[in-house]
Amino acid sequence: MGRFGKGVSSRDDGYASSSGSLSQGGNGQSDYLDHEIAQLTKLRSQPHEFLSRTAPGKLRLPVSTVKMLVGREVNYSGRGRFSAADSCHVLSRYLPVNGPWKVDGMNSRVYTSHFSNDGSFFVAASQESNIKIYNVDKNWKIQKDIETKALRWTITDTSLSPDQRFLVYASICAIVNIVDVGSSTRESLANVTEIHEGLDFSADGDEDEFGIFSVKFSTDGQELVAAGSDNFIYVYDLQANKCSLRIPAHKSDVNTVCFADETGHLIFSGSDDSLCKVWDRRCFISKGRANGVLMGHLEGITFIDSRRDGRYFISNGKDQTTKLWDIRKMSSNTTDNSRLRDYDWDYRWMEYPSYARRLKHPHDQSLATYKGHSVLRTLIRCYFSPEYRYFINF
């Protein structure tokens, strides 16, 4: 039996194996399929036997996911959950198995990128001065190549309007530039071939006081919401061409912000203070007070993306985790998590302490936590997939 040894070994799922035979429980062959040795011999690649039965002489077709979910609900397997074989079968149908492959190259590091809402366009911004918009449906052909204005170190964020006509991009300054990308011109040179209008987010015209880290269009394309290094959230009215709302939102840099749904009333924000906050513009209790707070991250929040249903969103943190949230679990009080951190760490040049990955916030309100990636030298962003909004992309 090689590295498996001889004799009987116990498992936490209640089954036992020996060197000469495999013990079968009440489900017979299904127990065999769940065995770890069976997995190594690739016998776990099929769904549960009750879901994959076919009449003699008929072609066996892939079992639909809906049928498998129904089977789980009525407890076909007797376990009340998907077996490892079921999970493998579902994942093999939905997770990408090809790639990655190179689409294009830039002269400097790509700092931020995202799909349009319908997934037809992909926007990539480099650290120096280029933003490229790719037409995904046309074999990733470059739709627009934008040469930006002078930047402060990098483009921190971009956002494409819902009608895909305008693009806004932010740098580490109070000016956000908006470009008409709906024109037929492929090459866009700032203020030469096309006008890049500057939108001033500063309260008193002093552009040197802070920088914009995140900017997003509203669903109707009439407003922008932005996150600043001065701990404030801003809402910009594009028709009035001015800031309509300025909120003292966090105790540290606000790294990310977005509208929660189509109404534009709800706003989600994330900060270096490790908190996610929910803001309702219709019912501010007091200036600077959020409608709810969601705790769980142990380090600063790098990015937030809404499922656009006004309920769920995901966040990525410098604590090397991505979390899924339901705002119905938000609270009005916060607890200090600094006592959990007894280490000094900077993502820009230091590896995250291995033991810190095992720490957990004592009042974690997230629905799920995803681990395995690393935040090192750059801030990872997380998104729901654009078309179906079920899976998380990095």
Side-chain angles (χ1 to χ4, degrees), residues 200-207 209:
D200 190 355
F201 280 76
S202 61
D204 53 6
D206 189 351
E207 301 173 7
E209 287 190 353

Side-chain angles (χ1 to χ4, degrees), residues 19 42-43 48 67 131 136 142 158 193-194 202 211 250-251 261 264 281 295 319 330 334 341 352 381 384 391:
S19 59
K42 297 184 179 180
L43 293 178
H48 193 275
K67 185 177 180 180
I131 302 174
V136 178
I142 297 178
T158 62
T193 59
E194 288 175 336
S202 61
H250 289 268
K251 294 181 179 180
D261 56 15
R281 298 163 62 187
M295 298 172 290
D319 58 3
M330 65 186 182
T334 60
R341 300 174 71 254
Y352 196 63
R381 301 172 183 237
F384 285 99
F391 299 112

Side-chain angles (χ1 to χ4, degrees), residues 258-359:
C258 66
F259 287 104
D261 56 15
E262 295 181 355
T263 67
H265 298 313
L266 291 179
I267 296 173
F268 298 148
S269 66
S271 167
D272 269 341
D273 63 12
S274 76
L275 297 177
C276 298
K277 292 188 177 183
V278 181
W279 308 85
D280 192 334
R281 298 163 62 187
R282 296 166 297 183
C283 53
F284 279 128
I285 300 174
S286 62
K287 190 174 182 181
R289 183 174 178 181
N291 289 77
V293 179
L294 290 154
M295 298 172 290
H297 281 292
L298 297 174
E299 302 283 351
I301 315 299
T302 67
F303 200 75
I304 280 177
D305 188 42
S306 171
R307 195 166 178 258
R308 302 200 175 189
D309 55 7
R311 180 177 297 175
Y312 298 102
F313 69 92
I314 52 175
S315 64
N316 194 78
K318 295 177 185 177
D319 58 3
Q320 324 291 300
T321 67
T322 294
K323 290 181 177 290
L324 173 67
W325 309 86
D326 183 341
I327 68 170
R328 293 174 296 181
K329 297 187 69 174
M330 65 186 182
S331 63
S332 57
N333 299 315
T334 60
T335 57
D336 184 14
N337 63 0
S338 60
R339 59 184 178 83
L340 297 174
R341 300 174 71 254
D342 57 356
Y343 54 88
D344 187 19
W345 171 76
D346 192 309
Y347 77 94
R348 291 171 292 182
W349 56 77
M350 299 171 64
E351 294 279 354
Y352 196 63
S354 57
Y355 77 91
R357 289 178 177 267
R358 299 188 294 271
L359 297 177

Side-chain angles (χ1 to χ4, degrees), residues 32-83:
Y32 174 76
L33 287 173
D34 260 352
H35 195 277
E36 60 183 349
I37 300 178
Q39 180 188 26
L40 294 177
T41 56
K42 297 184 179 180
L43 293 178
R44 288 174 75 174
S45 59
Q46 298 295 325
H48 193 275
E49 59 173 331
F50 289 102
L51 299 175
S52 57
R53 288 175 175 172
T54 56
K58 287 191 175 182
L59 179 65
R60 174 174 289 187
L61 298 175
V63 179
S64 73
T65 305
V66 173
K67 185 177 180 180
M68 294 183 70
L69 289 171
V70 171
R72 184 181 67 178
E73 294 302 312
V74 299
N75 199 16
Y76 272 147
S77 67
R79 299 182 182 89
R81 59 177 174 82
F82 272 157
S83 67

